[in-house]
Every structure is written in structure tokens, then in C-alpha cells.
Amino acid sequence: MAKPRILTPAGASFTVAGGGYGLEMEALERLGAEIVECEATEDAFIAAAPIADAVYAKGMKFNERMIAALTKAKVITCATVGVDYVDVGAATARGIAVTNCPDTFIEEVADHAMMLLLATHRRCIEQDRMVREGRWGEGRPQLLKVPRLMGSTLGFVAFGRVARLTAMRAKAFGLRLMAYDPFVDELTMSALGVVPASLDQVLSESDFVSMHAPDTAETRRMLTTKHFARMKKSAIFINTGRGPTVDEAALVAALQSGQIAGAGLDVFEVEPLPKDSPLIGMPHVILSPHNASASARFDEARKRRAGQEMALVLSGRWPMSCVNPTVLPASGLRRWQPFAMERGPNS
């Protein structure tokens, strides 16, 4: 029996370089699987695509033309939460499962969301600069204008895993919690002490609005000028989800006009953030370089999970996490999970 071959573009995903494929191979080596690299170009991938039993997606976008060249691949595996760099519709049309890592580093993202909320609310960076620049006396007068955190309202736009963990952290600070997500049942929210609400209620009643929607055709530029106009002038906007879900020009205009009070942003419409972005010069905005998921555990956890998902499929079984589960019943793969999962193919 020919050993399975996994096709992947050469190079690392994100900015984490080196290390080879040892962590992925922990689950794959017993299958005799081989990871084969190609140049990180569309044409090179298409030329190599017919050999692939699986694709390890990293380092580039995977479009319809590339996916159409896969003649026998059963899975495209992403070592990330988001899969917006893969044309999932094209994969679904060809019956190819697309897997991700929805739960390996969400604790870190929830920590980061709370960090941005707290630091922006208490003007952390501005206060630090006051001390460094000898403006000691300006610190207390600034914070005397800041509302008390306890009793304030945190509203979530989308209530997936990261939002739920953020809600658990925010509850300890005495925040009132509400969320808008038409794809999550109300009992899931209420069990965490979160009030189900409409999008307008979340925007108009919240002192903090935390964005967690994925980047899809339906959510792209989900929040625009009219949405920021519904927010309180004292409100702070947090985004650790995906930059394209927000009309960034509208956000900038809302900040410049004082329509909202501040923002804590880990993601942007264009990344890296352009050097001439107005966001860079705003004192009431805290920025981070799309690194909310990062920790010492990040690379090991996601690479092992990617290897596990590919090993499951290559051994004839359903993956643990599948973003297009409708392909699984006709895939020839065996459903094996003994317990129902909250989301995914076995729900």
C-alpha cells in the first residue's frame, strides 16, 4: 500500500519559523505518511496537487483553481482557528473536508481580549507615557473622567468559544454581559450569565463592544458607520476576531469624531497595519499585531492538532473539527466519535 502523501507549501505559517514537521508527524508517522513541500506559489501547488492525499494549508491562500487540481485529497488541514485563507466553498463542492484548530489556543485570545479591554478602559499606555514624560500630575485628572468598570456592560458580537471564555473572565470584574449571535442558542448564553440580545441592543447598551465574528462573506464589513453611530460616546470597541468584519474607515471616523471613546484592536482590515494608518497616532487606541493567540504553547499545540486531524482522515475516520461537515457522510470516512461535540461534524 502506498504511503499517504501530504502536500504543503514550503515555509512556516504566521511568523513562526523553523522546527520542521516533527510535531505534526507524532500522529502521522505510524501511518507511514510523508509531508511533501512545494514552492509557495499557485502554479507550483497545482503542479504537485495530484499526488496529495491531504493538504496542510499554510503560508498562502488556497483558491478554487488550486483546490480543483486536487484529484484524491480528502482533507485540507489548517493549524489555525480561522480558515479564511482557504476557499471552503470550493473544497465543499469537491467533497474535501476542511479542518481547523478551534480550541487549542482560545484561552490566550480571551486573555488578550480582556487585556485590551482593561488597558484601554484604564488608559494604560497613556498613563505610562505621562510618567515617562514627567507629566505625573495629569494621570489622576484623566482617570477621574473614566467610568467605574464594575457594573458596566460588555456586549459581544458573536458568541463563539473565545467570546464565552472572555465572558467568564469579565464576570469576575463585575461586568454585566450581553451577546448577539443568531447561531447560538439562548440557553448557552444564559448558562454563562449572558443576556441574549439583538445587535442593536448590544451596540446601544454596551460600555464595551467585543467583536468575535469570523471573516466570511456574510460578516465582511458587518459593522459600519451606522453601527458605530448606535454606540455610546463613552463606549470602547474591542476586536480580537477578524479585521475585515469591520469597516475600518468607519471605525477611524467614529474615533476621530468622538462618536466612541476608544478601541483595543488586535486585527485590521489590512495586515500588517499600514504605517500611515490614523489608528497609529490615536492616544485612546491600543494596538497589537494580530498575536492574541500567541503563547509558549501556541506552536506545539496547533501543530500537534493539525497532525492529529490529518492522521484521523488518512486512517479513514472523521476529523475532530470540520468547518464543512456536510461533506463527511459521503466522504467514505467512518464516524467514530463516542460523544457528541458542541460544534462540528458530530453535533
Side-chain angles (χ1 to χ4, degrees):
M1 181 178 176
K3 60 184 180 181
R5 286 189 286 185
I6 300 163
L7 180 63
T8 192
S13 57
F14 299 107
T15 57
V16 183
Y21 297 104
L23 295 169
E24 292 91 341
M25 289 302 297
E26 287 178 4
L28 290 162
E29 61 185 355
R30 61 187 173 78
L31 303 176
E34 176 186 11
I35 296 179
V36 179
E37 290 189 334
C38 65
E39 288 184 35
T41 67
E42 182 177 328
D43 289 341
F45 182 90
I46 288 171
I51 72 164
D53 298 291
V55 173
Y56 186 14
K58 59 179 176 60
M60 62 185 297
K61 290 187 178 293
F62 295 79
N63 60 33
E64 183 177 5
R65 183 168 169 254
M66 296 164 69
I67 292 169
L70 296 168
T71 57
K72 60 175 181 173
K74 289 186 173 293
V75 65
I76 298 172
T77 291
C78 304
T80 51
V81 176
V83 296
D84 42 290
Y85 52 95
V86 174
D87 188 332
V88 177
T92 303
R94 294 191 65 82
I96 301 173
V98 179
T99 72
N100 67 336
C101 300
D103 53 5
T104 53
F105 36 77
I106 57 169
E107 299 278 2
E108 288 84 348
V109 184
D111 291 342
H112 203 88
M114 277 306 299
M115 180 274 291
L116 289 174
L117 185 155
L118 294 169
T120 310
H121 172 66
R122 295 294 293 180
R123 309 283 180 166
C124 178
I125 290 181
E126 293 171 76
Q127 293 279 318
D128 176 83
R129 286 175 181 156
M130 288 174 188
V131 176
R132 294 176 189 275
E133 295 170 4
R135 297 183 289 126
W136 184 277
E138 296 178 32
R140 186 171 294 274
Q142 183 193 59
L143 290 184
L144 284 172
K145 300 175 185 177
V146 173
R148 190 185 194 196
L149 182 67
M150 189 175 203
S152 296
T153 298
L154 168 59
F156 297 96
V157 180
F159 199 63
R161 289 178 171 89
V162 172
R164 294 172 205 181
L165 288 175
T166 306
M168 292 169 64
R169 287 155 171 74
K171 194 172 184 180
F173 287 88
L175 287 161
R176 172 178 175 257
L177 306 171
M178 61 193 310
Y180 164 74
D181 193 324
F183 302 103
V184 175
D185 65 271
E186 291 192 357
L187 290 178
T188 297
M189 296 183 187
S190 59
L192 293 172
V194 178
V195 177
S198 68
L199 179 58
D200 186 72
Q201 285 176 305
V202 166
L203 296 174
S204 62
E205 296 181 26
S206 297
D207 300 290
F208 305 92
V209 173
S210 191
M211 183 64 164
H212 295 276
D215 179 17
T216 66
E218 292 75 24
T219 63
R220 209 148 294 149
R221 295 201 167 189
M222 179 180 175
L223 298 185
T224 62
T225 300
K226 68 178 182 180
H227 298 101
F228 290 112
R230 292 293 295 146
M231 291 171 62
K232 298 179 180 179
K233 290 188 181 296
S234 58
I236 290 172
F237 180 71
I238 307 296
N239 193 358
T240 53
R242 284 292 183 266
T245 60
V246 178
D247 181 342
E248 199 163 284
L251 171 60
V252 167
L255 290 162
Q256 289 175 329
S257 67
Q259 177 59 52
I260 63 174
L265 309 172
D266 183 56
V267 291
F268 309 90
E269 270 197 298
V270 176
E271 296 180 357
L273 185 67
K275 293 181 180 178
D276 61 352
S277 170
L279 292 169
I280 291 174
M282 293 181 178
H284 50 308
V285 174
I286 293 180
L287 312 172
S288 59
H290 198 155
N291 64 349
S293 59
S295 73
R297 181 179 181 270
F298 171 79
D299 231 29
E300 290 189 9
R302 70 188 185 93
K303 287 180 176 181
R304 283 196 172 99
R305 178 61 173 268
Q308 290 163 2
E309 294 288 39
M310 290 186 285
L312 283 169
V313 174
L314 292 173
S315 62
R317 292 176 287 177
W318 280 17
M320 285 288 290
S321 302
C322 184
V323 301
N324 57 342
T326 56
V327 306
L328 294 176
S331 66
L333 301 172
R334 177 168 53 90
R335 177 176 173 170
W336 64 273
Q337 290 93 332
F339 302 106
M341 293 185 292
E342 184 180 2
R343 273 190 182 179
N346 207 30
S347 61

